[in-house]
C-alpha cells in the first residue's frame, strides 16, 4: 500500500491556522452546498422551515465538498489468534528475527533473558505464558487483537521500577494494563503485558485529604470506587460538601485510575475543564530507566532535574520553540479548547512557564497512553458533587435543531451536561421499558429526530431551579422546534426536569450503557467499532449530518451517532465484519472519509476522549500537521529513546496500522454472541483476581470455538485448541461462581454463568453415571435432607475433640484427591439444623381484623444447616422466622412433604438440568397447593433459592406471591413489630440474588432499625456459589480479600446460609441470617393495628 499523502488533501488542521494568527477574526466558513448554506443561514420562522430537510442538505454538501478517498487493500491474512490484517509489501516476518513492530517481535533469545532476570523477584505463579491466560489477559475493549508472549501480574511500584530497566536492557517492549476498557488499541501488545488490575489489594491504596477536596489514589482503583470513597468520607465526617473526581467516563464503574490518567479520559459532565489534565495536582511516575519522580516532593523534583537534565532541557527546548511559534501556539490552544486526545498533550508546552519543566513533564504524562512512563500514583483536585440535580430528556424533530440547541445552551447558560442522541439511538430507547415509560413520544419519532439529555445541578434547591429556568428561557428564545414529530410540536415546558433520582437515573444509566447496547444489537459474527470525534459546537450539526450520510453510503445501516453535545463530541458506533477483503476495504474507505470530514472539513479532533491508540496513530499527522507531528516524535524519543514503553501507540509510521490485527468476534453461542468485550462485568466477578473474568471467559470460549471449527487446522492450531480446552476446565468453568452478578453490570444483560452452566450441562450428557446419581438424589431428597445434619453434627463433634488442624489437613487432602468433589472443612462449618417444628396456632386476633396467613418454605439449606459451633446462637433460621411470624400474628402454612422439596439449584449449577427441572416442578406443585394458587404470600428463607424458584416456575400467579425474608418483613411485618437498636455496629452482606432483585435498600433499612451503624461488606459476590466455595476455597478467598470491616464490628448478617459460612471464615466473625438480628430487636406491638396490611 502507498503512504497516505498527508501534505496535500488530507492534512487539514495546520492549513487553517492562519485564521487564528494575530489579527484574524475567525476561520473561513466551511463551503456548503446551496441547500445546506440556505438551511444554515436562514433564521426559522415556523416549524416546517426549521426542520430543514437534512438528508437533502447532506447530499448536496457531500457532492461538492467531500472527495472520494480510498487506499486499496491488496489482501488480508488471519494470524494464529484469529486477528485479521491488511497485507502490504513490508509485512514479511522472518522467523527468529526481532523487529520492534506489531507482528514482528520474534523471540531471538531476548524474552528468555528478560524472563530469567525478572524471575529473581517476580514469582513464576505471577508470570503467564499459557494460551488461555495470555489470550484472556491480552484482550481489551478495543477491536484490535495482539497476543502477549508473557503476562506479568505486578504488585507495586517497586516491581515496575525494577522491570522497566531490565526491559530496556534486553530490548523487550512492555505495555501497562489497568482495567482494559480502552477502545483504541492502546493497551494490547504482542510483547510483554504488565497487568496491574485484578491483583488483589495491590495498586489500590488511597488517602483522602482534609475535607475531600484532594485525594491521592493508586492506578488500580476504579473511578466509581474513588467517588464512593469520597462520598463515604463526607458522610462519616458530616461534611457540608461532597466531592468527586472530575473525569466521569461512561465506564467510570469499570475503568481504573491508571487508564483515566493515561488516556486523559473525560466523560459526560466533566467537559474539558474537569478532565485529568485540568484537575490533577501531582503524580508519581516510573520512567523507563527505573527512576521515580514524585512531583509532590520538592527533593524528588530537584534530584530528577539533576539526574535527567537532558530530558528536562529537551522538554524545555521544545516548549520554547512552540511558544515562540505564534501559529503553532494558536493551533494548540484552539485544538484543546475542545476535547482532543489525538497525539500527545501539546498544551502542556504552552500552558506552563519554561522555568518549570516538572510541571510540563507532569502534564505531558497525562494522555500519553503509557508511552512516556508508568503513573503509579495520582493526586486529584476533586470537584463538588452538588446534591441537587434534575434531568430532562428533550426531543427534536431533526438532528440540526438538536445540535443548534446544544450550541445555544453552551453559549447562553451554565448547564452542567448535555448529551445528544440521534434517531438510531432513540430506536434503542424504544426497546427500553423504563425509557418509554418516561418518554412515550420516543416511539414513532420522525426519521431524523434527535434528543438532548440535559442535567442541571445546584448547591441548593433554589440554585438548581435557577439553572432549570435559565435553560428553559434560552431554549424558548431560540424558537427551535421541539417534539419527536414535526407535525406535533411541543413547548419546552412540556419536558419535565426530573428531580427524583430514580427517574433521572433511567436516562443516565441508558446513556452510560448506550455504546455497549448499540454494539450488543449488532449482527452475529461482527465486531463493534467505536470512533470518537469532536468539533467546535457550532459545527456539530454539519459534521453529524455528513457522518450520518457517510454511514448510509457505506452501508452501515446500524450506525449510531451520539455523545457529549456540549463539547461537540460524538461517539460513532457501528458493526463491522473483518471476514473478507471486501469488508476490510469498506472499513478502510470509511475511515479515510471520516477523518477527512472531521479533521479537514470541520477542523475537529479525530479522538475526543478515547485516546489515539493504534486506531488513529496513522492519522495524527493529518489532524495536527507535520510540524506538530514531528514535535511529538521528538518528545517520544526524549522520554523513551529505546522505544521500550508501549511502542507503536499514539505515534506510528505505518499508514495502514489501523487495518492490522483487527479482532474478530466469531459466533460461538447465542448466550454470549452479543458480548462486545467492554469489561464492564469484571468488577462484579468473584474470580477476577484468581482466574478469569466473564469477559475473559467469553473471549477464550470464542477462540476455542473458532479453533475447533477451522476447516483445515494446522498442527499448531490443533495443539493450541487442546491446551486451551484443558486449561479452561479450571480457569473458565471450575472457578466460575455462575451467580449472574456479571449480568448486573453488563449493558446488554449477558449472564456468563448461563454459558458456564450450559457447558457443564453439555459435559454431563456424556456422563451417564453422574446423571444417574443426580437423578437418584433428586428422587430421594428426603434421605439427603435427614442425612446431612447428622454428618455435620459428627464433623462438629470431631472438631471439638481433635481441634481444627487435623480436620483442615484431612479435608484438604481429600479435596485434592477427589478432584475438588469433597469440600474442605473450615472452622465456621455449621452444625446440623434443629428439626423443623410444626407451626403453633396464631394468637387470638380481634374479630375485625382480616386473618393473617403466610406460606413458609424453609429451604433445604436451612433445614440441614444450623449455626456454627462457635456461634452464640443455637437455634436455626426456621426457629427465628417462626418467632417473627408469631409476633406479627400470622398463621404459618408449611408445604406438604417439605423434607423432599428443593428448588433444584444444587443440580442446575452442576449442569444436571433434568434433575433440576424435576425438583422445580414438584416444588411448584406443592407451593400452588399451599398458597391457594398464589393467593397467600410465600416466604423462602434463603435468597438464592428464591431466585432459582422464580426463574424456574411456569405459573405467573406464583411469581408475584414469592418473597425472601427481608422483603417480606419490609412489606408485611414492620408495622406489626416494635423495633429497638440492639447492636452498635453490624455488617450486612446482600447476596447476589437479592441484589439482582433490587432489595439492597431494604437490607440497609431493616438493619438500621436494629443497630446504630450498618456497614456493608462492599463485596459484590462472596464466591460461595452453594458449596463451590468449599470445594474451591481459593475462589471465596480471592473474592473476600476485599472485605474490610471495622474492628468494632462483631456480627454480620445476610440471607444465605452458605454465603454466611464463607463470610464468617474470612471475616473472623459470625455471619448469620438477618432474621436473627430482627428477632432479637423486635417484639409484638401491644395494640393491634386494625388497618394493618392484610396477607
Amino acid at each position: 500500500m502507498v503512504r497516505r499523502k498527508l501534505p496535500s488533501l488530507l492534512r487539514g488542521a495546520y492549513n487553517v491556522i492562519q485564521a487564528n494568527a494575530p489579527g484574524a477574526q475567525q476561520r473561513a466558513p466551511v463551503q456548503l452546498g446551496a441547500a445546506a448554506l440556505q438551511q444554515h443561514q436562514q433564521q426559522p420562522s415556523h416549524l416546517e422551515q426549521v426542520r430543514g430537510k437534512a438528508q437533502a442538505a447532506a447530499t448536496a454538501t457531500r457532492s461538492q465538498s467531500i472527495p472520494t478517498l480510498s487506499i486499496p487493500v491488496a489482501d488480508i491474512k488471519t494470524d494464529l489468534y484469529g486477528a485479521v490484517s491488511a497485507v502490504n509489501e513490508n509485512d514479511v516476518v522472518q522467523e527468529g528475527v526481532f523487529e520492534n513492530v506489531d507482528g514482528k517481535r520474534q523471540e531471538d533469545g531476548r524474552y528468555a533473558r528478560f524472563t530469567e532476570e525478572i524471575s529473581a523477584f517476580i514469582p513464576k505463579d505471577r508470570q503467564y505464558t499459557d494460551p488461555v491466560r495470555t489470550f484472556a489477559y491480552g484482550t481489551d475493549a478495543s477491536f484490535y487483537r495482539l497476543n502477549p508472549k508473557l503476562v506479568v501480574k505486578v504488585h507495586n511500584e517497586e516491581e515496575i521500577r525494577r522491570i522497566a530497566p531490565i526491559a530496556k536492557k534486553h530490548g523487550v517492549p512492555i505495555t501497562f494494563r489497568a482495567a482494559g476498557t480502552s477502545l483504541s488499541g492502546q493497551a494490547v501488545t504482542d510483547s510483554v503485558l504488565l497487568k496491574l488490575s485484578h491483583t488483589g489489594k495491590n495498586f489500590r491504596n488511597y488517602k483522602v485529604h482534609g475535607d475531600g477536596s484532594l485525594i491521592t489514589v493508586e492506578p488500580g482503583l476504579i473511578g466509581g470506587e474513588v467517588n464512593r470513597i469520597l462520598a463515604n468520607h463526607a458522610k462519616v465526617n458530616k461534611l457540608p460538601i461532597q466531592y468527586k473526581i472530575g473525569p466521569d467516563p461512561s465506564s467510570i464503574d469499570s475503568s481504573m485510575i491508571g487508564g483515566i490518567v493515561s488516556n486523559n479520559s473525560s466523560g459526560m459532565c466533566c467537559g474539558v475543564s474537569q478532565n485529568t489534565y485540568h484537575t490533577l495536582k501531582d503524580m508519581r511516575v516510573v520512567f523507563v530507566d527505573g527512576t521515580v519522580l514524585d512531583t509532590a516532593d520538592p527533593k524528588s523534583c530537584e534530584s530528577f532535574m539533576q539526574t535527567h537534565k537532558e530530558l528536562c532541557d529537551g522538554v524545555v527546548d521544545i516548549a520554547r520553540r512552540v511558544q515562540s511559534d505564534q501559529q503553532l501556539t494558536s493551533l494548540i490552544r484552539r485544538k484543546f479548547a475542545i476535547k482532543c486526545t489525538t497525539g500527545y498533550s501539546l498544551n502542556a508546552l504552552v500552558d506552563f512557564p519554561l522555568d518549570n519543566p516538572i510541571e510540563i513533564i507532569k502534564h505531558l504524562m497525562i494522555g500519553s497512553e503509557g508511552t512516556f512512563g508508568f503513573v503509579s500514583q495520582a493526586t486529584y483536585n476533586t470537584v463538588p458533587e452538588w446534591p441537587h440535580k434534575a434531568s430532562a430528556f428533550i426531543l427534536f424533530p431533526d438532528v440540526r435543531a438538536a445540535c443548534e440547541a446544544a450550541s445555544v445552551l453552551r453559549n447562553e447558560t451554565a448547564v452542567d451536561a448535555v448529551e445528544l442522541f440521534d434517531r438510531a439511538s432513540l430506536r434503542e430507547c424504544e426497546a427500553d421499558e423504563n425509557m418509554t415509560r418516561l418518554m412515550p413520544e420516543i416511539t414513532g419519532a420522525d426519521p431524523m429526530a434527535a434528543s438532548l439529555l440535559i442535567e442541571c445541578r445546584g448547591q441548593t434547591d433554589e440554585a438548581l431551579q435557577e439553572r432549570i429556568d435559565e435553560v428553559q428561557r434560552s431554549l424558548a428564545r431560540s424558537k427551535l422546534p421541539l417534539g419527536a414529530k414535526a407535525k406535533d410540536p411541543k413547548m419546552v415546558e412540556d419536558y419535565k426536569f426530573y428531580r427524583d433520582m430514580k427517574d433521572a437515573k433511567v436516562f443516565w444509566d441508558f446513556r452510560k450503557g448506550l455504546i455497549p447496547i448499540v454494539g450488543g444489537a449488532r449482527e452475529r459474527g461482527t465486531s463493534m467499532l467505536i470512533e470518537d470525534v469532536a468539533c467546535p459546537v457550532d459545527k456539530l450539526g454539519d459534521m453529524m449530518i455528513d457522518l450520518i450520510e457517510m454511514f448510509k453510503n457505506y452501508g452501515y445501516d446500524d450506525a449510531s451517532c451520539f455523545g457529549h453535545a456540549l463539547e461537540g463530541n460524538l461517539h460513532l458506533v457501528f458493526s463491522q465484519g473483518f471476514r473478507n477483503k471486501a469488508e476490510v476495504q469498506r472499513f478502510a474507505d470509511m475511515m479515510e472519509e471520516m477523518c477527512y470530514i472531521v479533521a479537514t472539513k470541520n477542523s475537529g479532533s479525530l479522538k475526543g476522549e478515547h485516546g489515539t491508540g493504534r486506531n488513529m496513530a496513522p492519522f495524527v499527522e493529518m489532524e495536527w500537521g507535520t510540524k506538530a507531528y514531528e514535535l511529538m516524535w521528538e518528545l517520544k524519543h526524549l522520554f523513551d529513546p529505546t522505544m521500550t514503553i508501549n511502542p507503536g501507540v499514539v505515534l506510528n509510521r505505518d499508514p495502514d496500522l489501523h487495518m492490522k490485527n483487527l479482532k474478530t468476534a466469531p459466533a460461538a453461542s447465542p448466550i454470549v454472541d452479543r458480548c462486545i468485550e467492554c469489561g464492564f462485568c469484571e468488577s462484579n466477578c468473584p474470580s477476577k483476581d484468581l482466574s478469569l473474568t466473564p469477559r475473559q471467559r467469553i473471549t477464550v470460549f470464542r477462540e476455542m470455538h473458532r479453533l475447533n471449527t477451522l476447516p483445515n487446522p494446522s498442527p499448531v492450531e490443533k495443539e493450541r485448541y487442546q491446551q486451551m480446552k484443558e486449561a479452561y476446565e479450571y480457569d473458565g468453568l471450575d472457578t466460575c461462581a455462575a451467580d449472574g452478578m456479571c449480568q448486573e453490570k453488563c449493558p446488554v444483560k449477558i449472564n456468563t454463568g448461563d454459558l458456564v452452566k450450559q457447558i457443564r450441562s453439555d459435559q454431563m450428557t456424556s456422563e451417564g453415571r453422574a446423571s444417574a446419581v443426580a437423578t437418584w438424589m433428586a428422587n430421594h431428597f428426603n434421605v439427603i435432607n435427614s442425612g446431612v445434619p447428622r454428618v455435620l453434627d459428627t464433623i462438629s463433634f470431631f472438631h471439638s475433640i481433635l481441634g481444627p488442624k487435623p480436620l483442615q489437613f484431612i479435608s484438604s487432602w481429600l479435596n485434592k484427591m477427589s478432584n475438588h468433589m469433597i469440600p474442605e472443612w473450615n472452622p465456621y462449618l455449621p452444625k446440623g439444623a434443629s428439626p423443623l417444628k410444626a407451626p403453633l396456632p396464631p394468637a387470638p386476633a380481634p374479630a375485625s381484623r382480616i386473618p393473617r396467613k403466610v406460606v413458609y418454605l424453609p429451604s433445604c439449606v436451612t433445614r440441614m444447616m444450623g449455626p456454627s459451633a462457635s456461634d452464640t446462637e443455637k437455634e436455626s433460621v426456621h426457629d427465628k422466622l417462626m418467632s417473627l411470624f408469631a409476633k406479627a400474628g400470622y398463621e404459618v402454612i408449611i408445604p406438604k412433604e417439605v423434607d423432599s422439596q428443593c428448588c433444584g439449584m444444587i443440580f442446575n449449577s452442576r449442569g444436571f438440568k433434568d434433575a433440576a427441572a424435576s425438583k422445580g416442578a414438584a416444588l411448584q406443585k406443592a407451593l400452588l397447593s399451599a398458597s391457594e394458587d398464589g393467593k397467600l404470600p410465600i416466604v423462602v428463607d434463603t435468597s438464592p433459592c428464591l431466585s432459582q424458584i422464580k426463574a424456574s416456575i411456569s405459573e405467573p400467579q406464583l411469581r408475584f406471591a414469592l418473597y425472601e425474608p427481608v422483603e417480606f418483613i419490609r412489606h408485611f411485618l414492620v408495622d406489626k413489630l416494635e423495633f429497638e437498636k440492639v447492636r452498635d455496629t453490624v455488617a450486612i452482606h446482600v447476596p447476589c440474588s437479592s441484589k439482582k432483585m433490587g432489595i439492597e435498600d431494604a437490607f440497609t433499612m431493616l438493619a438500621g432499625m436494629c443497630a446504630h451503624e450498618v456497614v456493608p461488606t462492599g463485596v459484590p459476590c462472596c464466591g460461595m456459589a452453594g458449596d463451590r466455595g468449599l470445594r474451591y476455597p481459593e475462589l471465596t478467598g480471592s473474592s473476600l480479600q476485599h472485605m474490610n470491616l471495622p474492628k468494632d464490628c462483631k456480627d454480620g448478617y445476610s440471607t444465605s446460609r452458605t454465603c454466611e459460612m464463607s463470610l464468617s471464615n474470612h471475616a473472623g466473625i459470625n455471619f448469620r441470617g438477618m432474621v436473627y438480628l430482627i428477632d432479637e430487636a423486635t417484639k409484638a406491638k401491644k395494640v393491634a393495628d386494625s388497618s394493618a396490611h392484610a396477607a
Side-chain angles (χ1 to χ4, degrees):
M1 297 182 189
V2 297
R3 169 79 175 163
R4 190 173 290 103
K5 294 184 178 179
L6 296 168
S8 57
L9 179 63
L10 299 177
R11 197 167 69 188
Y14 198 75
N15 295 338
V16 296
I17 58 173
Q18 294 291 346
N20 291 283
Q25 297 300 311
Q26 61 181 28
R27 183 169 13 85
V30 174
Q31 296 302 308
L32 301 176
L37 186 61
Q38 181 181 8
Q39 182 183 18
H40 183 71
Q41 293 177 339
Q42 184 180 32
Q43 177 65 33
S45 57
H46 55 81
L47 296 178
E48 283 78 5
Q49 285 179 310
V50 178
R51 190 170 177 214
K53 300 180 180 178
Q55 289 287 105
T59 302
T61 302
R62 287 174 56 83
S63 64
Q64 297 188 28
S65 59
I66 299 180
T68 300
L69 306 168
S70 180
I71 294 180
V73 175
D75 201 358
I76 63 170
K77 65 177 180 180
T78 302
D79 68 12
L80 178 62
Y81 313 103
V84 172
S85 298
V87 178
N88 63 36
E89 63 274 11
N90 298 319
D91 289 333
V92 178
V93 179
Q94 298 182 47
E95 192 67 31
V97 177
F98 179 92
E99 187 177 347
N100 199 0
V101 175
D102 292 348
K104 298 184 180 182
R105 297 184 178 100
Q106 299 289 306
E107 167 64 300
D108 59 357
R110 68 184 64 209
Y111 288 99
R113 293 189 293 271
F114 171 82
T115 302
E116 181 181 5
E117 193 162 347
I118 69 166
S119 295
F121 56 95
I122 301 290
K124 284 292 185 180
D125 62 3
R126 286 199 276 126
Q127 301 177 37
Y128 304 94
T129 57
D130 66 276
V132 164
R133 299 289 182 110
T134 52
F135 192 86
Y137 295 163
T139 298
D140 75 349
S142 74
F143 55 94
Y144 293 96
R145 165 82 67 203
L146 286 168
N147 203 72
K149 292 176 178 60
L150 170 68
V151 178
V152 180
K153 281 193 173 183
V154 287
H155 280 182
N156 49 56
E157 177 190 272
E158 176 63 17
E159 289 182 353
I160 298 283
R161 190 192 68 75
R162 296 178 69 179
I163 289 172
I166 294 173
K168 180 182 178 182
K169 179 176 77 174
H170 295 294
V172 171
I174 54 176
T175 294
F176 309 113
R177 166 71 68 79
T181 56
S182 55
L183 295 161
S184 300
Q186 57 265 61
V188 296
T189 182
D190 58 0
S191 186
V192 173
L193 188 72
L194 302 182
K195 191 175 188 294
L196 58 103
S197 58
H198 309 144
T199 56
K201 296 182 178 181
N202 301 292
F203 286 114
R204 292 177 51 80
N205 295 313
Y206 64 88
K207 180 180 180 181
V208 182
H209 303 271
D211 62 353
S213 57
L214 205 66
I215 186 169
T216 299
V217 290
E218 289 190 338
L221 282 165
I222 293 172
E225 279 185 297
V226 176
N227 285 341
R228 288 189 287 276
I229 289 166
L230 289 164
N232 186 63
H233 180 77
K235 178 183 177 181
V236 169
N237 293 284
K238 298 179 172 59
L239 298 171
I241 298 176
Q242 178 181 320
Y243 290 91
K244 64 175 184 174
I245 58 172
D248 63 335
S250 60
S251 60
I252 193 166
D253 286 320
S254 305
S255 56
M256 294 179 177
I257 292 297
I260 291 173
V261 173
S262 295
N263 293 315
N264 193 22
S265 304
S266 47
M268 294 178 285
C269 302
C270 84
V272 173
S273 62
Q274 293 182 356
N275 63 18
T276 297
Y277 182 91
H278 289 101
T279 58
L280 186 127
K281 186 177 187 294
D282 283 299
M283 64 168 63
R284 285 177 65 90
V285 188
V286 182
F287 291 91
V288 70
D289 62 356
T291 301
V292 177
L293 168 64
D294 184 350
T295 66
D297 182 356
K299 291 184 179 179
S300 176
C301 294
E302 182 181 352
S303 173
F304 185 83
M305 285 191 289
Q306 292 175 357
T307 59
H308 290 69
K309 188 175 185 302
E310 183 179 349
L311 170 59
C312 294
D313 288 349
V315 167
V316 169
D317 177 64
I318 294 173
R320 180 181 293 107
R321 282 184 278 147
V322 170
Q323 291 182 20
S324 64
D325 187 330
Q326 292 184 350
Q327 290 182 339
L328 186 53
T329 297
S330 178
L331 172 65
I332 291 170
R333 293 198 185 282
R334 178 170 56 77
K335 292 287 293 175
F336 288 104
I338 62 173
K339 288 188 178 182
C340 179
T341 57
T342 312
Y344 290 123
S345 299
L346 295 186
N347 44 341
L349 302 174
V350 300
D351 288 345
F352 302 100
L354 299 177
D355 61 357
N356 195 349
I358 297 297
E359 202 67 27
I360 298 174
I361 289 170
K362 178 171 71 179
H363 284 82
L364 282 170
M365 291 297 306
I366 299 168
S368 62
E369 302 177 28
T371 63
F372 286 171
F374 174 75
V375 178
S376 60
Q377 187 184 88
T379 299
Y380 275 95
N381 291 306
T382 57
V383 301
E385 172 72 300
W386 298 129
H388 301 277
K389 301 178 183 178
S391 298
F393 198 85
I394 299 179
L395 288 150
F396 298 82
D398 65 76
V399 164
R400 190 179 294 281
C403 292
E404 289 179 3
S407 184
V408 167
L409 293 173
R410 178 183 174 91
N411 295 331
E412 298 182 9
T413 74
V415 66
D416 290 280
V418 180
E419 291 294 300
L420 173 66
F421 295 68
D422 71 347
R423 185 64 183 93
S425 307
L426 294 181
R427 274 191 288 275
E428 297 299 328
C429 293
E430 289 181 67
D432 187 284
E433 184 178 323
N434 287 321
M435 287 292 293
T436 53
R437 172 178 59 84
L438 296 175
M439 300 300 300
E441 69 170 304
I442 290 174
T443 304
D446 280 353
M448 289 292 286
S451 68
L452 295 180
L453 171 55
I454 299 170
E455 181 172 273
C456 296
R457 304 173 189 164
Q459 188 170 7
T460 64
D461 195 59
E462 293 75 15
L464 171 60
Q465 189 58 51
E466 287 178 10
R467 293 280 180 93
I468 294 172
D469 292 343
E470 182 183 49
V471 167
Q472 291 180 328
R473 283 195 303 268
S474 293
L475 289 178
R477 280 197 307 267
S478 72
K479 298 182 180 179
L480 289 165
L482 301 176
K485 304 177 184 69
K487 293 181 179 179
D488 185 17
K490 303 288 184 181
M491 304 292 289
V492 67
E493 293 80 10
D494 294 330
Y495 293 97
K496 177 181 177 181
F497 272 85
Y498 289 90
R499 295 172 184 249
D500 187 334
M501 284 300 103
K502 288 184 179 179
D503 290 328
K505 193 172 183 290
V506 170
F507 298 141
W508 289 103
D509 282 353
F510 187 85
R511 169 58 191 91
K512 287 179 180 179
L514 193 52
I515 289 175
I517 287 171
V518 173
R522 73 194 186 281
E523 176 190 348
R524 287 183 68 192
T526 62
S527 299
M528 185 205 79
L529 273 61
I530 175 168
E531 298 301 340
D532 160 47
V533 300
C535 71
V537 181
D538 60 350
K539 291 180 173 291
L540 184 60
D542 294 332
M543 183 176 78
M544 190 167 181
I545 289 171
D546 273 346
L547 291 170
I548 290 172
E549 185 66 14
M550 176 198 74
F551 282 127
K552 178 182 176 183
N553 283 359
Y554 284 106
Y556 291 100
D557 298 327
D558 63 346
S560 291
C561 303
F562 53 87
H564 317 310
L566 208 60
E567 306 298 330
N569 183 198
L570 291 178
H571 298 316
L572 316 176
V573 183
F574 52 99
S575 62
Q576 168 75 55
F578 299 118
R579 294 163 290 199
N580 52 56
K581 190 175 82 169
E583 289 185 334
V584 176
Q585 182 70 66
R586 179 176 71 144
F587 169 66
D589 293 345
M590 181 277 299
M591 283 287 289
E592 296 291 336
E593 184 163 323
M594 183 200 74
C595 292
Y596 174 81
I597 290 170
V598 175
T600 301
K601 185 177 179 185
N602 290 288
S603 304
S605 306
L606 294 172
K607 285 294 178 184
E609 57 183 5
H610 292 169
T612 307
R614 288 173 166 80
N615 180 223
M616 279 300 164
F619 299 92
V620 174
E621 184 179 5
M622 171 184 169
E623 177 178 329
W624 275 99
T626 302
K627 182 183 290 188
Y629 181 65
E630 293 303 330
L631 286 175
M632 292 181 190
W633 274 109
E634 285 190 54
L635 288 169
K636 172 63 176 173
H637 286 291
L638 276 173
F639 282 93
D640 182 23
T642 56
M643 297 292 151
T644 301
I645 308 177
N646 213 10
V649 168
V650 181
L651 303 177
N652 200 300
R653 299 291 187 184
D654 184 351
D656 306 322
L657 180 71
H658 61 296
M659 296 184 285
K660 295 179 178 179
N661 303 299
L662 300 166
K663 180 167 63 178
T664 58
S669 167
I671 299 173
V672 296
D673 281 343
R674 292 180 301 136
C675 175
I676 57 169
E677 302 180 3
C678 63
F680 286 14
C681 57
E682 294 191 331
S683 60
N684 264 10
C685 182
S687 64
K688 61 181 180 290
D689 296 330
L690 173 65
S691 54
L692 302 183
T693 66
R695 165 171 64 174
Q696 293 162 355
R697 286 185 170 90
I698 292 171
T699 195
V700 172
F701 176 75
R702 282 173 166 169
E703 176 64 1
M704 289 166 58
H705 179 82
R706 184 189 72 84
L707 289 169
N708 195 39
T709 55
L710 287 173
N712 296 298
S714 67
V716 174
E717 288 168 330
K718 289 180 181 179
E719 182 183 6
R720 178 174 168 76
Y721 169 72
Q722 194 58 40
Q723 289 174 342
M724 294 185 88
K725 183 181 178 182
E726 292 173 3
Y728 195 73
E729 197 66 32
Y730 177 84
D731 291 343
L733 302 181
D734 292 343
T735 53
C736 177
D739 54 35
M741 281 304 292
C742 48
Q743 187 177 37
E744 297 305 291
K745 293 290 290 289
C746 176
V748 293
K749 298 304 176 187
I750 291 172
N751 184 344
T752 311
D754 288 343
L755 173 68
V756 169
K757 290 175 185 176
Q758 183 61 54
I759 297 172
R760 290 173 183 165
S761 178
D762 293 342
Q763 291 175 341
M764 288 302 105
T765 57
S766 60
E767 296 286 341
R769 184 177 177 182
S771 296
V773 171
T775 301
W776 185 92
M777 291 176 65
N779 293 335
H780 300 82
F781 201 78
N782 60 322
V783 177
I784 309 297
N785 188 90
S786 61
V788 169
R790 296 189 182 97
V791 172
L792 291 174
D793 285 337
T794 301
I795 294 172
S796 181
F797 171 76
F798 279 109
H799 176 207
S800 66
I801 299 298
L802 301 175
K805 289 186 178 180
L807 285 181
Q808 182 68 60
F809 175 81
I810 293 169
S811 66
S812 178
W813 181 82
L814 289 172
N815 175 263
K816 293 174 183 176
M817 291 299 101
S818 65
N819 193 25
H820 300 280
M821 291 303 294
I822 297 176
E824 277 197 25
W825 176 90
N826 73 61
Y828 291 91
L829 202 69
K831 296 186 297 182
S834 59
L836 180 64
K837 299 173 184 175
L840 297 173
S848 60
R849 194 183 76 189
I850 299 173
R852 298 168 181 168
K853 293 184 178 182
V854 63
V855 176
Y856 171 36
L857 174 67
S859 69
C860 62
V861 175
T862 57
R863 296 197 308 266
M864 299 178 195
M865 299 179 181
S868 70
S870 62
D871 200 341
T872 55
E873 291 284 355
K874 302 305 175 186
E875 293 184 300
S876 298
V877 169
H878 46 76
D879 297 319
K880 295 298 182 180
L881 201 44
M882 288 286 202
S883 172
L884 287 169
F885 289 145
K887 290 177 189 178
Y890 272 84
E891 177 185 348
V892 181
I893 301 167
I894 304 293
K896 294 179 180 178
E897 299 180 350
V898 70
D899 286 351
S900 297
Q901 303 298 346
C902 170
C903 67
M905 179 183 293
I906 188 173
F907 303 106
N908 185 52
S909 64
R910 288 169 169 78
F912 299 111
K913 289 191 173 183
D914 291 342
S918 70
K919 296 310 296 177
L923 180 58
Q924 176 175 283
K925 182 178 178 181
L927 292 178
L928 280 170
S929 174
S931 66
E932 300 175 14
D933 291 333
K935 294 177 183 177
L936 301 178
I938 304 167
V939 178
V940 182
D941 59 20
T942 302
S943 297
C945 296
L946 174 65
S947 179
Q948 172 71 20
I949 294 169
K950 282 190 171 185
S952 61
I953 58 176
S954 59
E955 296 293 338
Q957 64 266 38
L958 276 185
R959 194 178 305 278
F960 298 103
L962 289 161
Y963 295 89
E964 61 90 70
V966 168
E967 189 180 20
F968 182 81
I969 294 168
R970 167 71 180 86
H971 287 293
F972 293 95
L973 302 191
V974 165
D975 62 338
K976 302 172 182 66
L977 302 171
E978 291 183 6
F979 283 77
E980 178 185 0
K981 293 183 186 292
V982 294
R983 292 284 187 277
D984 290 328
T985 303
V986 298
I988 60 169
H989 178 77
V990 184
C992 308
S993 49
S994 296
K995 289 187 177 85
K996 294 172 77 172
M997 289 185 283
I999 56 176
E1000 287 182 86
D1001 291 344
F1003 260 80
T1004 305
M1005 186 207 80
L1006 287 178
M1009 296 173 71
C1010 306
H1012 294 283
E1013 184 180 358
V1014 177
V1015 182
T1017 60
V1019 177
C1021 170
C1022 69
M1024 190 62 171
D1027 69 340
R1028 188 162 295 273
L1030 292 174
R1031 295 188 294 117
Y1032 296 91
E1034 65 270 30
L1035 177 59
T1036 54
S1038 174
S1039 177
L1040 294 177
Q1041 65 180 310
H1042 299 290
M1043 183 168 52
N1044 186 21
L1045 302 180
K1047 292 181 180 179
D1048 62 344
C1049 181
K1050 305 300 181 185
D1051 296 278
Y1053 299 93
S1054 186
T1055 52
S1056 170
R1057 189 67 196 94
T1058 52
C1059 294
E1060 291 153 18
M1061 291 159 42
S1062 175
L1063 291 159
S1064 300
N1065 190 39
H1066 291 280
I1069 62 174
N1070 278 292
F1071 272 77
R1072 56 184 78 93
M1074 272 283 285
V1075 292
Y1076 286 88
L1077 177 64
I1078 296 171
D1079 185 55
E1080 181 183 353
T1082 59
K1083 60 183 178 180
K1085 281 193 174 179
K1086 293 179 180 178
V1087 180
D1089 184 356
S1090 61
S1091 63
H1093 289 59

